[in-house]
Amino acid sequence: QNNVITFNRPFGQKISFELIEDSPTEKIFEQDSIKLSVDENSVSEIFWLTKIMGDYNINKIGDNFVFENGRRALILKRKEL
């Protein structure tokens, strides 16, 4: 709804993302500003999202998540509820 995707976590928690970009995968990863982020919180969020979303390659770039599936990718930015 209005470029916002919301997932319901166990125990009533919700997590929402705003759609930033929908592009071919190559276009997203060709950008000079792309720097993958790997920290403990990012890894746990990525595992959780992978479990819920299924067959997507998920990476974190700064505050944004990149969901890849084949030749398409989405950049989603986490929204505060």
Side-chain angles (χ1 to χ4, degrees):
Q1 180 177 8
N2 299 326
N3 288 335
V4 176
I5 300 169
T6 302
F7 300 100
N8 293 310
R9 298 178 81 168
F11 308 109
Q13 294 177 321
K14 292 182 181 182
I15 182 171
S16 292
F17 295 94
E18 178 181 0
L19 176 62
I20 303 297
E21 185 175 345
D22 177 7
S23 301
T25 302
E26 308 83 43
K27 181 181 175 198
I28 288 177
F29 285 105
E30 286 175 353
Q31 299 174 23
D32 291 335
S33 61
I34 297 297
K35 291 183 177 69
L36 296 178
S37 173
V38 181
D39 60 50
E40 193 172 300
N41 290 336
S42 298
V43 171
S44 63
E45 283 181 308
I46 289 170
F47 281 138
W48 182 82
L49 290 168
T50 301
K51 183 177 178 180
I52 289 180
M53 298 295 295
D55 192 21
Y56 289 90
N57 182 22
I58 303 172
N59 291 293
K60 191 165 185 187
I61 299 172
D63 293 333
N64 300 328
F65 290 89
V66 177
F67 289 75
E68 289 179 67
N69 190 348
R71 300 179 140 197
R72 298 298 297 179
L74 296 173
I75 297 178
L76 301 176
K77 181 177 184 171
R78 188 175 192 160
K79 289 187 59 106
E80 296 300 321
L81 296 177

